């Protein structure tokens, strides 16, 4: 099968393996020609507590006309961290245009975790993120983000299978396409749940959690997931592959002294 050209629209950290810095080596290793458009330049992973960040929206507005003039096309686009409402509108319009030209759109609506929004994310940002997920062939929010996108109450103790399926159905209604919800407690088990719009089937994949924190594991999940989907694998199989890859990488690095840097991916690409 011929490999697909994919554009990553996400932030770029100078120090640490998160976002574009985590996804690009994985997708490249999997054989997909991978390009990137940074939504922000970040000095280091936010886990260090201090950081500097530069909004690149003005740069982006200059990039799109050049790419259009040069005739650049992408088979797929994956969006991640969006730094402002203005940027979200520009990026969602580009994704809509590319979707009409046949590109597959993957959206990770990064807004919050553990029941709370990240600093700087406003109700207006949530509204604009609705535009992003509306053009998604596959969206994959975490449980917190799924609740905010659907105006559903967040239950830290977890939810039932029926409630998880209802949440998936509500998200599916916003795009008409496939949905995953990551890191969601269902019937007292850590799970990833999904809905495949092509088959009309819901699924639930439990996993064991290793009690250490690395930034960037969600980006690793996204990259492996997308890589397998672009290779023609099913949504359920691709999701399982991504979950297993994240588990293996965390297990191999759980004793690292500085976890704030993320996982040093280049040393472990062969386990993907």
């Amino acid at each position: 099968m011929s490999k697909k050209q994919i554009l990553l629209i996400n932030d770029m950290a100078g120090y640490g393996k998160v976002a574009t810095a985590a996804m690009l080596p994985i997708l490249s290793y999997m054989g997909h020609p991978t390009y990137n458009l940074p939504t922000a330049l970040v000095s280091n992973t936010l886990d260090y507590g201090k950081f500097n960040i530069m909004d690149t929206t003005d740069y982006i507005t200059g990039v799109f006309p050049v790419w259009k003039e040069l005739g650049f096309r992408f088979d797929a686009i994956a969006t991640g961290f969006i730094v402002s409402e203005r940027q979200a509108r520009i990026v969602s319009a580009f994704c809509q245009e590319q979707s009409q030209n046949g590109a597959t759109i993957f959206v990770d609506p990064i807004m919050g975790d553990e029941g709370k929004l990240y600093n700087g994310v406003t109700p207006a940002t949530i509204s604009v993120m609705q535009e992003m997920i509306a053009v998604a062939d596959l969206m994959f929010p975490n449980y917190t983000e799924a609740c905010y996108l659907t105006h559903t109450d967040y239950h830290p103790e977890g939810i039932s299978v029926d409630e998880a399926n209802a949440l998936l159905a509500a998200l599916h209604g916003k795009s008409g396409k496939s949905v995953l919800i990551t890191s969601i407690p269902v019937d007292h088990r850590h799970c990833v749940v999904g809905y495949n719009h092509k088959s009309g089937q819901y699924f639930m994949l439990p996993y064991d959690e290793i009690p250490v924190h690395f930034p960037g594991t969600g980006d690793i999940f996204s990259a492996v997931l997308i890589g397998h989907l672009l290779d023609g694998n099913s949504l359920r199989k691709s999701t399982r592959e991504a979950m297993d890859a994240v588990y293996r990488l965390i297990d191999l690095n759980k004793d690292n002294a500085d976890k704030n840097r993320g996982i040093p991916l280049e040393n472990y690409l062969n386990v993907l």
Side-chain angles (χ1 to χ4, degrees):
M1 170 176 283
S2 62
K3 294 294 182 175
K4 306 296 186 182
Q5 297 198 95
I6 180 167
L7 171 66
L8 305 179
I9 304 181
N10 208 339
D11 64 293
M12 174 62 85
Y15 191 93
K17 291 296 180 183
V18 298
T20 301
M23 296 181 71
L24 198 153
I26 292 172
L27 284 160
S28 295
Y29 179 79
M30 295 178 75
H32 299 288
T34 307
Y35 311 92
N36 73 91
L37 184 67
T39 57
L41 300 179
V42 188
S43 57
N44 46 267
T45 64
L46 307 187
D47 296 67
Y48 285 103
K50 294 182 178 181
F51 57 90
N52 185 48
I53 184 169
M54 183 174 74
D55 181 338
T56 60
T57 304
D58 289 339
Y59 164 75
I60 290 173
T61 60
V63 167
F64 288 154
V66 173
W67 284 358
K68 187 172 184 178
E69 184 178 343
L70 293 171
F72 292 166
R73 299 279 294 273
F74 305 99
D75 298 303
I77 299 173
T79 71
F81 178 67
I82 301 293
V83 76
S84 68
E85 297 159 38
R86 174 175 170 241
Q87 186 180 90
R89 290 192 176 94
I90 293 167
V91 170
S92 63
F94 175 74
C95 289
Q96 178 69 50
E97 177 185 290
Q98 293 296 305
S99 176
Q100 292 171 353
N101 291 329
T104 302
I105 310 298
F106 301 99
V107 175
D108 182 359
I110 298 172
M111 296 187 297
D113 202 2
E114 297 179 347
K116 298 176 292 185
L117 295 173
Y118 296 133
N119 290 336
V121 177
T122 67
T125 306
I126 298 171
S127 177
V128 173
M129 193 58 75
Q130 303 279 2
E131 298 178 27
M132 293 296 304
I133 64 172
V135 303
D137 292 282
L138 173 65
M139 69 177 90
F140 34 96
N142 61 29
Y143 176 39
T144 296
E145 293 153 351
C147 289
Y148 275 103
L149 288 167
T150 58
H151 307 291
T152 302
D153 290 338
Y154 176 88
H155 299 285
E157 72 280 5
I159 59 178
S160 68
V161 172
D162 287 344
E163 289 169 326
N165 288 345
L167 197 53
L168 288 166
L171 289 166
H172 165 68
K174 295 178 178 294
S175 68
K177 300 293 181 66
S178 296
V179 183
L180 294 176
I181 303 174
T182 63
S183 307
I184 182 169
V186 180
D187 288 346
H188 308 293
R189 301 186 70 181
H190 298 292
C191 295
V192 175
V193 297
Y195 174 75
N196 186 332
H197 81 280
K198 294 180 180 178
S199 65
Q201 293 182 328
Y202 293 89
F203 59 88
M204 182 178 74
L205 300 173
Y207 65 89
D208 294 321
E209 186 173 70
I210 301 173
V212 297
H213 171 72
F214 284 97
T217 52
D219 303 304
I220 294 169
F221 173 88
S222 299
V224 178
L225 168 72
I226 291 168
H228 281 283
L229 287 170
L230 294 179
D231 280 340
N233 293 319
S234 71
L235 178 59
R236 184 184 183 115
K237 180 179 179 182
S238 298
T239 302
R240 184 80 259 178
E241 292 283 358
M243 294 166 66
D244 292 346
V246 170
Y247 184 92
R248 288 194 297 271
L249 288 170
I250 293 175
D251 188 47
L252 288 166
N253 288 273
K254 62 181 181 292
D255 296 324
N256 291 7
D258 184 4
K259 296 180 177 62
N260 290 335
R261 280 190 295 201
I263 293 172
L265 289 164
E266 287 81 357
N267 297 332
Y268 299 96
L269 292 171
N270 63 310
V271 308
L272 299 177

